[in-house]
Amino acid sequence: MKIAIGADHGGFGLKGTIITHLEEKGHEVIDLGSYNTDSVDYPEFGEKVAMAVKNKEVDRGIVICGTGLGISISANKVPGIRAALVSETFSARMSIEHNNANILALGARVTGPDLALEIVDVWTEARFLGDRHERRVNKIIDIENKYSK
């Protein structure tokens, strides 16, 4: 799977851990920054990853900031993006199986690296179930389309 990843300064360390892990698992990772711990603004990185997903340059994306909140809100402003802020494995699986999320958001200051890697593994291995869930995701898309005109 080809995955874009982006983080602000608060998520920089966890981003590196996740990149190494994903590459060891055979995934192709596109690092969209940040590239050090200097203070930066999370909306820029949420948008970069979201645009890579929207433009189909990658299959999925991962965004990380201190809490995961700001960067997930930013990514979700891009039409077509369903970024799910996840802090445990059950929601990671459900975000794909039921909601067809295309971006995983993590909070580096609230989710430790071991748990974050478990979440990433569950999330990358999960597949959208379709059926009644597709109907519901289509209703989300309809809401998005209604208000983005």
Side-chain angles (χ1 to χ4, degrees), residues 62-130:
I62 298 174
V63 294
I64 312 160
C65 69
T67 62
L69 292 165
I71 203 161
S72 65
I73 292 168
S74 300
N76 276 318
K77 295 299 179 184
V78 175
I81 296 304
R82 289 177 304 283
L85 175 57
V86 173
S87 59
E88 36 69 36
T89 58
F90 180 76
S91 293
R93 184 166 45 89
M94 291 296 103
S95 75
I96 296 292
E97 289 184 358
H98 290 200
N99 308 120
N100 202 16
N102 48 21
I103 294 181
L104 171 66
L106 295 167
R109 295 180 180 144
V110 296
T111 304
D114 291 338
L115 177 56
L117 295 181
E118 288 180 41
I119 290 168
V120 166
D121 285 345
V122 168
W123 191 76
T124 56
E125 293 166 11
R127 298 293 173 260
F128 183 50
L129 296 178

Side-chain angles (χ1 to χ4, degrees), residues 21-71:
H21 181 75
L22 286 170
E23 289 176 341
E24 288 172 354
K25 296 269 186 174
H27 299 286
E28 181 182 352
V29 182
I30 308 301
D31 184 352
L32 297 177
S34 68
Y35 303 108
N36 57 48
T37 57
D38 294 347
S39 182
V40 293
D41 298 326
Y42 57 79
E44 295 173 29
F45 302 97
E47 181 183 17
K48 283 181 184 182
V49 171
M51 289 305 297
V53 172
K54 178 185 171 99
N55 293 332
K56 300 189 183 328
E57 297 165 22
V58 295
D59 302 304
R60 294 185 189 170
I62 298 174
V63 294
I64 312 160
C65 69
T67 62
L69 292 165
I71 203 161

